[in-house]
């Protein structure tokens, strides 16, 4: 088999940071081309600055490195996107179209496009939300992801471009700071606990949302991309489930170690967004098609997050 050379857009984000490292281990450091809008001096590997709204720049990168696969992660997220909806739509869709067109023209073998539970609206079954639910999103981010799912399917049906996608729940990881998503309270609370700071939650205490630990999210991504083409029956985006909890349940789990953690619940505009999203996800199709199964529960997630953030902050104190 020919060597895979993989381009990642938006590689400095929460997901891209970890995904790049995992792909390097699998395909070799020199075969992973990480890109983002700004320089990333701490990245260990091949990194280029790339504006994904610039078609010619993407095409030049694909030709320069002889790219065979693209993981297109660059996007403006849900909460930040609501501040500037028109520019969010323009950026999210233009970058996707550029990636799809470059991939079609230059016969890229596989494209990964991350979708989100933000594609769902408030007219769904919020418990065990089915794969085939109506998509009436309440945010411009969700609208762009729902449109992106259909464009991915279109390029597969029309041009046989192998576009694959996952509807990520809230992704929780210790590797980077919150990035402007509605579920990011579930990352920030761990940082506050380890730093012995009070935490102000922008969602109500009983807002149940589906989440996934970073290791599970990355593993799901790689398992999907490595699955045989004939096994992929969903050409919009697969539901995947990790676990579901409320801010209160997560706080209780953290308080088993950090009993002094203080929380003030102060719901803002993100509460309305969260209230339109699923409380849990039915991922039967992913389990059936490519044997998906999450490994982390709230206890193991909490233990892993706290352990790694303690190491991170202790090292920072030592090095400062």
């Amino acid at each position: 088999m020919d060597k895979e050379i993989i381009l990642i857009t938006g590689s400095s984000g929460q997901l891209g940071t970890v995904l790049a490292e995992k792909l390097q281990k699998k395909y070799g450091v020199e075969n992973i081309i990480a890109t983002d809008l700004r320089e990333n001096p701490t990245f260990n590997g091949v990194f280029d600055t790339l504006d994904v709204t610039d078609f010619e720049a993407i095409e030049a990168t694909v030709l320069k490195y002889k790219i065979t696969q693209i993981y297109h992660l660059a996007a403006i997220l849900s909460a930040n996107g609501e501040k500037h909806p028109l520019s969010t739509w323009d950026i999210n869709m233009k970058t996707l179209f550029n990636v799809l067109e470059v991939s079609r023209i230059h016969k890229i073998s596989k494209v990964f496009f991350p979708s989100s539970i933000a594609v769902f609206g408030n007219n769904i079954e919020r418990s065990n939300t089915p794969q085939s639910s109506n998509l009436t999103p309440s945010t411009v981010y969700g609208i762009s992801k729902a449109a992106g799912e259909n464009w991915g399917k279109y390029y597969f049906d029309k041009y046989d471009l192998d576009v694959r996608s996952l509807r990520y729940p809230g992704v929780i990881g210790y590797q980077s700071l919150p990035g402007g998503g509605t579920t990011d309270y579930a990352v920030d609370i761990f940082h506050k606990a380890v730093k012995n700071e009070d935490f102000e939650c922008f969602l109500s205490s009983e807002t149940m949302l589906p989440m996934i630990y970073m290791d599970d999210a990355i593993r799901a991504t790689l398992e999907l991309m490595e699955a045989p083409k004939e096994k992929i029956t969903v050409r919009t985006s697969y539901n995947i489930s990790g676990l579901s909890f409320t801010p209160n349940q997560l706080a209780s789990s953290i308080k088993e170690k950090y009993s002094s953690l203080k929380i003030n619940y102060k719901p803002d505009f993100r509460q309305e967004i969260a209230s339109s999203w699923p409380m849990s996800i039915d991922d039967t199709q992913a389990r059936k098609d490519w044997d998906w199964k999450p490994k982390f529960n709230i206890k193991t997630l909490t233990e892993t997050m706290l352990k790694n953030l303690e190491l991170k902050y202790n090292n920072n104190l030592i090095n400062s």
Side-chain angles (χ1 to χ4, degrees), residues 168-320:
Y168 288 114
V171 178
I172 301 173
Y174 62 86
Q175 293 89 346
S176 57
L177 293 170
T182 300
T183 57
D184 276 350
Y185 86 85
V187 177
D188 192 26
I189 190 172
F190 284 102
H191 288 267
K192 292 295 195 295
V194 172
K195 292 192 292 183
N196 293 309
E197 296 177 2
D198 293 349
F199 176 63
E200 183 171 282
C201 185
F202 53 73
L203 300 181
S204 69
S205 63
E206 300 305 315
T207 303
M208 177 79 72
L209 287 171
M211 303 283 184
I212 191 167
Y213 183 59
M214 179 65 78
D215 286 10
D216 276 344
I218 296 296
R219 184 169 54 82
T221 306
L222 297 180
E223 287 177 1
L224 171 68
M225 291 295 279
E226 291 164 5
K229 187 175 180 179
E230 63 271 14
K231 292 279 190 180
I232 307 302
T233 66
V234 176
R235 285 295 174 175
T236 49
S237 189
Y238 278 97
N239 279 3
I240 57 163
S241 178
L243 66 164
S244 290
F245 53 73
T246 66
N248 185 51
Q249 288 171 333
L250 182 59
S252 297
S253 183
I254 295 171
K255 283 183 177 181
E256 290 184 15
K257 182 167 186 181
Y258 287 87
S259 58
S260 62
L261 176 65
K262 294 181 180 178
I263 305 169
N264 176 35
Y265 292 100
K266 193 175 180 181
D268 62 15
F269 72 98
R270 287 165 284 196
Q271 180 63 54
E272 186 176 354
I273 297 172
S275 296
S276 73
W277 287 357
M279 296 185 293
S280 58
I281 297 289
D282 179 356
D283 59 5
T284 302
Q285 202 62 47
R287 292 172 184 258
K288 179 181 176 183
D289 288 359
W290 40 277
D291 300 323
W292 162 246
K293 187 177 181 181
K295 292 182 178 178
F296 282 81
N297 57 36
I298 193 168
K299 185 177 188 300
T300 54
L301 181 152
T302 301
E303 290 171 350
T304 308
M305 283 290 291
L306 292 176
K307 176 183 176 182
N308 282 282
L309 286 177
E310 286 164 358
L311 287 171
K312 178 179 179 178
Y313 284 112
N314 285 338
N315 286 336
N316 285 346
L317 287 173
I318 292 169
N319 295 326
S320 62

Side-chain angles (χ1 to χ4, degrees), residues 60-110:
T61 301
V62 165
L63 293 173
K64 175 183 177 182
Y65 293 104
K66 297 180 172 61
I67 298 298
T68 63
Q69 294 185 27
I70 299 178
Y71 286 70
H72 174 49
L73 309 183
I76 297 176
L77 301 182
S78 58
N80 283 345
E82 291 306 284
K83 299 172 185 175
H84 305 285
L86 294 182
S87 61
T88 296
W89 169 262
D90 186 50
I91 290 169
N92 286 1
M93 296 311 299
K94 188 172 185 178
T95 58
L96 175 62
F97 289 142
N98 285 346
V99 167
L100 291 174
E101 272 296 279
V102 165
S103 299
R104 177 185 69 82
I105 293 166
H106 296 287
K107 302 190 185 306
I108 299 297
S109 66
K110 293 178 190 174

Side-chain angles (χ1 to χ4, degrees), residues 32-200:
I32 306 304
I33 315 304
T35 67
D36 213 301
L37 196 56
R38 296 175 183 83
E39 290 281 357
N40 186 350
T42 63
F43 184 77
N44 182 23
V46 184
F47 183 91
D48 275 0
T49 56
L50 178 63
D51 180 355
V52 201
T53 64
D54 183 341
F55 178 87
E56 292 181 354
I58 302 173
E59 187 173 45
T61 301
V62 165
L63 293 173
K64 175 183 177 182
Y65 293 104
K66 297 180 172 61
I67 298 298
T68 63
Q69 294 185 27
I70 299 178
Y71 286 70
H72 174 49
L73 309 183
I76 297 176
L77 301 182
S78 58
N80 283 345
E82 291 306 284
K83 299 172 185 175
H84 305 285
L86 294 182
S87 61
T88 296
W89 169 262
D90 186 50
I91 290 169
N92 286 1
M93 296 311 299
K94 188 172 185 178
T95 58
L96 175 62
F97 289 142
N98 285 346
V99 167
L100 291 174
E101 272 296 279
V102 165
S103 299
R104 177 185 69 82
I105 293 166
H106 296 287
K107 302 190 185 306
I108 299 297
S109 66
K110 293 178 190 174
V111 175
F112 178 75
F113 166 71
S115 190
S116 164
I117 59 169
V119 298
F120 299 115
N122 55 17
N123 61 343
I124 56 167
E125 296 177 44
R126 295 191 65 218
S127 180
N128 288 321
T129 302
Q131 173 69 46
S132 58
S133 297
N134 291 326
L135 303 186
T136 53
S138 60
T139 64
V140 67
Y141 171 72
I143 294 168
S144 70
K145 289 299 183 183
E149 289 187 13
N150 285 304
W151 276 108
K153 184 177 185 300
Y154 179 87
Y155 269 74
F156 174 74
D157 291 339
K158 187 81 171 177
Y159 307 115
D160 197 34
L161 179 62
D162 192 355
V163 185
R164 306 183 183 194
S165 180
L166 297 174
R167 289 172 181 158
Y168 288 114
V171 178
I172 301 173
Y174 62 86
Q175 293 89 346
S176 57
L177 293 170
T182 300
T183 57
D184 276 350
Y185 86 85
V187 177
D188 192 26
I189 190 172
F190 284 102
H191 288 267
K192 292 295 195 295
V194 172
K195 292 192 292 183
N196 293 309
E197 296 177 2
D198 293 349
F199 176 63
E200 183 171 282

